[in-house]
């Protein structure tokens, strides 16, 4: 029994390398698209009136807690 791996011919190697490069290019494009979507969502959250309200409320609570501790 011969279980030695067979080395593919150079044309097959070229084809597989080209396919792997294309897959990597597609993943890079997808990552860029996801990064842009995340940045857009983060900007929407930062500019949301609800976020501004919550930040204002959190600051008031922090100031009140600070006043209690210093008394």
């Amino acid at each position: 029994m011969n279980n030695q791996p067979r080395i593919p011919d150079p044309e097959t190697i070229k084809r597989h390398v080209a396919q792997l490069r294309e897959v990597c290019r597609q993943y890079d494009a997808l990552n860029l698209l996801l990064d842009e979507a995340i940045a857009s969502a983060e900007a929407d959250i930062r500019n949301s009136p609800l976020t501004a309200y919550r930040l204002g409320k959190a600051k008031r609570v922090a100031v009140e807690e600070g006043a209690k501790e210093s008394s």
Side-chain angles (χ1 to χ4, degrees):
M1 294 194 350
N2 187 0
N3 290 336
Q4 294 294 326
R6 184 175 69 80
I7 298 174
D9 61 285
E11 193 58 40
T12 303
I13 292 172
K14 278 184 179 179
R15 200 170 53 249
H16 286 173
V17 167
Q19 289 172 343
L20 286 172
R21 285 189 175 135
E22 176 60 19
V23 167
C24 288
R25 188 197 63 74
Q26 290 174 352
Y27 275 126
D28 288 342
L30 177 62
N31 282 334
L32 180 61
L33 184 65
L34 291 172
D35 285 344
E36 290 172 353
I38 290 168
S40 176
E42 288 175 343
D44 288 347
I45 289 169
R46 275 193 309 275
N47 297 325
S48 164
L50 182 58
T51 300
Y53 168 77
R54 288 179 177 162
L55 285 174
K57 189 172 182 179
K59 287 178 183 176
R60 283 192 305 273
V61 170
V63 167
E64 289 171 3
E65 290 295 321
K68 287 180 186 176
E69 289 177 3
S70 63
S71 301

